[in-house]
Amino acid sequence: MAGKCSKSYQKARIKLQKLYERAHRMQDDAMHKYTTHLVREYDAICIEDLDVKGMLI
């Protein structure tokens, strides 16, 4: 596919890939900071798994 595409298409594709990578890293960083904050702020963190289907009448 690389041989059939124009030079400007290749540049745009690479630029878009870099933007997606940057957005992904920003999301990872935000999630890491948030989870770190939760761990430092609270003594215990519980996750409840609700059986929603069993709760329906």
Side-chain angles (χ1 to χ4, degrees):
M1 179 165 176
K4 295 182 180 182
C5 299
S6 68
K7 197 78 152 171
S8 61
Y9 174 82
Q10 291 298 327
K11 283 184 189 179
R13 189 177 62 81
I14 291 170
K15 187 175 182 180
L16 187 60
Q17 282 179 335
K18 287 180 182 180
L19 289 172
Y20 278 131
E21 179 67 24
R22 184 169 186 260
H24 178 72
R25 289 182 184 203
M26 289 171 72
Q27 289 172 345
D28 283 349
D29 184 54
M31 183 62 71
H32 179 69
K33 287 178 180 176
Y34 181 66
T35 54
T36 301
H37 166 73
L38 288 176
V39 169
R40 289 183 179 162
E41 187 73 22
Y42 300 103
D43 294 333
I45 299 172
C46 299
I47 299 174
E48 185 175 359
D49 185 23
L50 295 176
D51 182 19
V52 179
K53 287 184 180 179
M55 295 167 60
L56 295 175
I57 296 176

